[in-house]
Amino acid sequence: MGIAFSLGSISCGFADTSSVTRYRILDFLITVPLFFLISLGTEAVFPHSIVFVISLTIVSFSLFMLAVLSPRLGAIGFASILLAIYAMLLHIDGRPVWLIPMWLTGGALWYIFWQALAIYFLPNQESKDILSDLYQALAKKLTAHDHGFIFKSDNNQLFITSAQLRSQIAGLSHTLESRIHQQFTAGEDSAKLQDIYRFLTVAERINEQTRLMYFTPTSQLKQACPEWLEHIHQANLKISQYLAQVTVDNVSRIKMPEINFDALRQHSVNPELQEEAIAAYAYINKLDIIYLSLQQLSQQTTEVKNTGLIKPIVISWKWREIVAKLTSQMTLKSSYFRHALRGTLSLATGLIIVRALNLEFGFWTLMTSLLVLRPNLSMTWTRLLQRLTGTICGLIVVGGLLHFQVSSDILPFIFCIAVVLFFHTAARHYGFAVFFVTLFVFAGFSLNGQGDNILLPRLDNTVLGVFLPLFFVSILAPGWKKKSFPTQLTTTIAGYIRYLDSLKTYMSNKSDNVTTELQRHYQACVVNDTNLFDHWMGYLGEPHRKSQTGEHILLCSRSSNIILRILTQVNENKQSLALDPMISSDLDSAISSLRELEQTLEKSQKHTELFKHISKQEQLIYQSFTYIENEIYKLDNHTLLQLLAKEVNLFVSAIQKTTA
């Protein structure tokens, strides 16, 4: 009964995705009866293999497709499939058909009970945890930019490290912003929620400043001004340490570090090193802006105003609309349909194999397939490796516990601790979550006297379970990153063009609406550039990748990031932009260059050797990187826009010379 309660709680945890209290109540009202019916149906058809396979195929496909209606319903559908598999694992012939469904549903109710207590005594705790992770990621990013003050820095590696953190920060910011958006639009408001929103706003401002903090002192400057650089490094370190530990709850208790930025700026530098010192002063200025932003955190909460741009969340339950939504997605062009088809085929095939071979604990195969399956090959392969690693490490520990014949008095503690750590790591570190759930399974089965029997079946079924989704993702639109990268690159360039067009409008009309629109286009540029880098990360996660192709994709990603950095500097200086013929001409030239690049990429989108051709101009492009990184801080708007056109023209030339 205890195992069933725990598995029901775990399933309910996967279904609980809303941040709004009344939506969570609605989700629980849907989840509980659905859980009971799904597990009851599983018990009813379990003895009949043919009926079991047919019903699993129909029901799992339907539950997967719930994601078309809303992400929350998609999560409930996923959790219901998982619960059905748990019911298979717990089935024992001769038990009343309603017993396991009652236990599993009781576990879901147990989860809801504890969540109700958590909501009452620890409101917004999930959002606070995400915010804490966000500030820790910002601290790591700030530290990464400071690496060159101490060690010899590889600019390419610095870009990769910074981009990885930028991607992590973007994901955390988006998740937290969505949660706050849901709560505000649902009418939930509190001083603590407003504090979280204020922290998020400051985090976004800090992240934007770190995008321009690329300064690596030369050996000459290190020899001439070691104390000055050490003081800058210490200032950076103090701010990073503060960032890493500050939270909404402790901000009033943590002392803000004392930093004298005026003294840092007043340091005298030899005339021959003056140009390089300008970049150091720019770095200090960015640190100062971040410092001033952090000082706002300990101030009183400001009122969060609804700008009218946020639209209320509306849930429609009209059957015609539901049917129309579902039928419109019944095509292989739909990512929802492809994912549901892959999942259904993986589960149905797994069930047929388990029944045909009569595998012991064979339903772990289905559970593994469900949890490993992701929307594309890259994500599925990464998840597969995490699943295997977590399972093998967990089984090694289980082997040790069996060898030393751990006392049955200790097993309940292992059981409870493993469940808690699973919930803590499930959304952040899947490999660790698998490790802890393996310990949880061992402890649970050991309490039933079956602990000695799970080692080999767990490993065998995990291997089979990870193979099935990988196979079906490979044959059903795997989403190879190499093939999709040119499309994302074109989308990114188009976003840069829209930003510059909006900037032209802003120069003649600096009203609030135009300013908001300009900032929206700028944020879209940041998102597109992050997605571009994520394609490279995704390619590294694919099997049978080629290192040379990875280098080509990285080269394009870094070139795009250079363009974004120029636009970021222009965006910083936008208020000083005047509508004069010179700036207007520079903007037209930059837009024209970007449009030429967009057209060139569109012609080459299906050219599988595109990045190989670009790499033939690799040395020339990297020289351009070095120049921009060294010069961008001391350039005015006119020169920045000229530099942008030059960078784009160089990129276009690299493609055209090798694809002609």
Side-chain angles (χ1 to χ4, degrees):
M1 182 175 175
I3 296 176
F5 254 62
S6 300
L7 294 177
S9 297
I10 289 173
S11 298
C12 197
F14 279 106
D16 183 19
T17 57
S18 179
S19 60
V20 179
T21 302
R22 65 187 177 97
Y23 290 166
R24 294 181 82 175
I25 293 172
L26 177 61
D27 290 348
F28 290 146
L29 289 175
I30 297 171
T31 300
V32 171
L34 183 60
F35 272 15
F36 181 77
L37 292 174
I38 290 293
S39 53
L40 184 65
T42 301
E43 283 289 287
V45 301
F46 191 92
H48 314 289
S49 295
I50 296 176
V51 177
F52 197 2
V53 172
I54 294 173
S55 61
L56 177 66
T57 302
I58 296 172
V59 172
S60 61
F61 181 81
S62 302
L63 292 172
F64 273 123
M65 289 299 289
L66 286 178
V68 173
L69 303 179
S70 79
R72 287 168 36 225
L73 286 175
I76 293 172
F78 175 88
S80 299
I81 299 172
L82 182 63
L83 186 88
I85 298 171
Y86 287 153
M88 300 175 201
L89 284 168
L90 295 172
H91 176 84
I92 295 178
D93 292 335
R95 278 181 177 172
V97 72
W98 51 265
L99 189 59
I100 290 178
M102 287 293 294
W103 288 349
L104 289 170
T105 307
L109 291 171
W110 187 241
Y111 171 88
I112 294 170
F113 169 74
W114 284 104
Q115 280 301 306
L117 292 180
I119 291 170
Y120 183 79
F121 290 105
L122 299 170
N124 300 306
Q125 188 58 47
E126 295 98 333
S127 294
K128 291 178 186 177
D129 291 340
I130 296 170
L131 190 65
S132 177
D133 290 343
L134 174 60
Y135 271 78
Q136 289 178 31
L138 284 170
K140 291 177 182 177
K141 191 168 188 288
L142 194 58
T143 302
H145 290 296
D146 185 54
H147 188 80
F149 282 78
I150 309 171
F151 306 103
K152 186 177 180 181
S153 181
D154 178 358
N155 286 336
N156 211 37
Q157 185 57 46
L158 173 59
F159 165 73
I160 294 172
T161 303
S162 176
Q164 287 173 331
L165 290 167
R166 188 169 68 244
S167 180
Q168 180 184 354
I169 290 167
L172 292 168
S173 294
H174 176 73
T175 301
L176 184 56
E177 189 174 18
S178 297
R179 292 178 64 87
I180 296 173
H181 173 98
Q182 285 183 22
Q183 289 176 275
F184 279 149
T185 53
E188 292 189 4
D189 197 0
S190 65
K192 193 60 69 175
L193 184 60
Q194 291 181 4
D195 265 349
I196 294 172
Y197 181 82
R198 186 165 55 88
F199 268 64
L200 175 61
T201 303
V202 171
E204 291 173 345
R205 194 180 310 143
I206 292 172
N207 187 35
E208 186 168 332
Q209 293 303 317
T210 60
R211 202 169 294 124
L212 292 170
M213 298 180 70
Y214 284 84
F215 167 64
T216 303
T218 62
S219 56
Q220 292 87 350
L221 189 64
K222 286 182 178 180
Q223 291 176 2
C225 310
E227 292 184 3
W228 185 43
L229 294 177
E230 176 62 23
H231 289 321
I232 299 174
H233 163 65
Q234 289 300 323
N236 195 104
L237 186 62
K238 289 178 182 178
I239 293 174
S240 298
Q241 290 172 344
Y242 182 82
L243 265 173
Q245 61 181 327
V246 69
T247 65
V248 173
D249 294 327
N250 70 11
V251 66
S252 59
R253 301 192 301 271
I254 296 180
K255 185 179 179 182
M256 188 76 183
E258 295 182 3
I259 302 173
N260 190 339
F261 285 98
D262 290 334
L264 289 177
R265 294 190 187 95
Q266 291 170 3
H267 187 88
S268 59
V269 181
N270 294 333
E272 60 269 18
L273 297 173
Q274 195 61 43
E275 286 193 9
E276 186 181 354
I278 293 175
Y281 292 134
Y283 189 94
I284 294 170
N285 290 338
K286 297 302 175 190
L287 276 180
D288 197 1
I289 294 172
I290 293 173
Y291 185 80
L292 292 172
S293 298
L294 288 173
Q295 285 183 323
Q296 298 176 11
L297 294 179
S298 58
Q299 297 174 358
Q300 289 186 349
T301 304
T302 55
E303 183 181 356
V304 179
K305 298 179 180 179
N306 191 331
T307 61
L309 298 175
I310 300 176
K311 297 180 180 179
I313 301 173
V314 179
I315 302 178
S316 173
W317 294 100
K318 294 179 180 178
W319 288 108
R320 288 185 179 179
E321 293 182 9
I322 292 174
V323 172
K325 262 189 172 183
L326 290 171
T327 53
S328 67
Q329 296 293 325
M330 294 297 181
T331 169
L332 279 175
K333 293 181 179 179
S334 167
S335 59
Y336 294 106
F337 181 81
R338 293 197 303 268
H339 187 67
L341 186 60
R342 294 170 187 144
T344 302
L345 289 172
S346 297
L347 294 177
T349 305
L351 180 57
I352 292 170
I353 294 173
V354 167
R355 279 295 170 96
L357 300 180
N358 195 26
L359 296 177
E360 188 178 9
F361 299 113
F363 297 107
W364 275 335
T365 297
L366 279 68
M367 181 180 63
T368 300
S369 295
L370 177 67
L371 295 172
V372 166
L373 180 66
R374 299 286 98 182
N376 58 55
L377 182 61
S378 170
M379 296 173 68
T380 301
W381 180 254
T382 301
R383 192 87 161 180
L384 177 155
L385 296 177
Q386 292 171 343
R387 182 80 186 186
L388 283 176
T389 303
T391 299
I392 292 171
C393 291
L395 291 178
I396 290 172
V397 174
V398 167
L401 294 174
L402 288 172
H403 176 73
F404 291 106
Q405 298 180 341
V406 62
S407 171
S408 58
D409 295 333
I410 299 176
L411 289 175
F413 294 99
I414 296 176
F415 184 88
C416 295
I417 293 171
V419 170
V420 171
L421 291 175
F422 166 77
F423 275 114
H424 181 70
T425 57
R428 301 175 182 176
H429 309 288
Y430 181 66
F432 286 105
V434 173
F435 171 80
F436 291 122
V437 84
T438 301
L439 296 183
F440 153 74
V441 168
F442 161 72
F445 276 86
S446 293
L447 290 170
N448 281 352
Q450 295 178 289
D452 295 343
N453 303 327
I454 74 163
L455 272 173
L456 287 179
R458 176 79 176 178
L459 183 60
D460 292 343
N461 291 304
T462 296
V463 172
L464 177 59
V466 297
F467 169 76
L468 289 173
L470 182 67
F471 173 74
F472 286 111
V473 171
S474 299
I475 64 174
L476 287 173
W480 296 102
K481 294 300 180 182
K482 177 181 177 180
K483 294 181 178 179
S484 61
F485 186 86
T487 302
Q488 180 59 49
L489 182 57
T490 305
T491 301
T492 304
I493 298 302
Y496 294 153
I497 295 171
R498 285 192 292 272
Y499 171 79
L500 291 177
D501 284 334
S502 182
L503 186 63
K504 286 184 67 176
T505 305
Y506 171 83
M507 286 167 55
S508 58
N509 178 14
K510 297 185 179 180
S511 64
D512 290 342
N513 289 339
V514 174
T515 303
T516 301
E517 185 72 6
L518 178 65
Q519 194 62 22
R520 184 178 69 82
H521 283 301
Y522 172 73
Q523 291 301 331
C525 290
V526 175
V527 171
N528 284 331
D529 182 71
T530 302
N531 289 340
L532 204 62
F533 179 79
D534 287 345
H535 269 64
W536 178 72
M537 292 291 293
Y539 180 76
L540 294 186
E542 291 180 351
H544 309 302
R545 64 182 182 274
K546 296 181 180 179
S547 59
Q548 190 177 23
T549 301
E551 291 173 3
H552 302 158
I553 296 176
L554 179 62
L555 181 64
C556 292
S557 299
R558 192 170 171 203
S559 190
S560 169
N561 187 253
I562 289 292
I563 295 173
L564 177 64
R565 285 175 59 191
I566 295 173
L567 294 183
T568 301
Q569 192 71 50
V570 170
N571 197 63
E572 282 274 294
N573 305 336
K574 62 179 181 288
Q575 291 184 346
S576 62
L577 280 173
L579 187 60
D580 60 60
M582 181 180 292
I583 293 293
S584 182
S585 175
D586 292 335
L587 269 175
D588 289 337
S589 176
I591 292 171
S592 176
S593 299
L594 284 167
R595 285 204 171 116
E596 185 180 1
L597 175 57
E598 183 184 26
Q599 292 169 2
T600 304
L601 289 171
E602 286 175 347
K603 293 176 184 177
S604 309
Q605 287 223 355
K606 295 183 179 179
H607 200 314
T608 57
E609 300 298 314
L610 173 64
F611 305 114
K612 183 177 180 180
H613 293 322
I614 292 174
S615 70
K616 293 179 181 178
Q617 303 293 324
E618 181 177 359
Q619 194 61 38
L620 186 61
I621 295 176
Y622 272 120
Q623 287 176 1
S624 173
F625 289 165
T626 304
Y627 172 75
I628 293 172
E629 286 166 349
N630 292 338
E631 301 294 323
I632 192 171
Y633 297 101
K634 49 192 175 185
L635 302 178
D636 56 23
N637 293 326
H638 166 65
T639 313
L640 280 170
L641 291 171
Q642 285 187 328
L643 187 61
L644 173 60
K646 179 181 176 182
E647 169 67 13
V648 174
N649 285 331
L650 179 66
F651 200 83
V652 173
S653 177
I655 300 175
Q656 291 178 340
K657 283 182 180 178
T658 53
T659 58

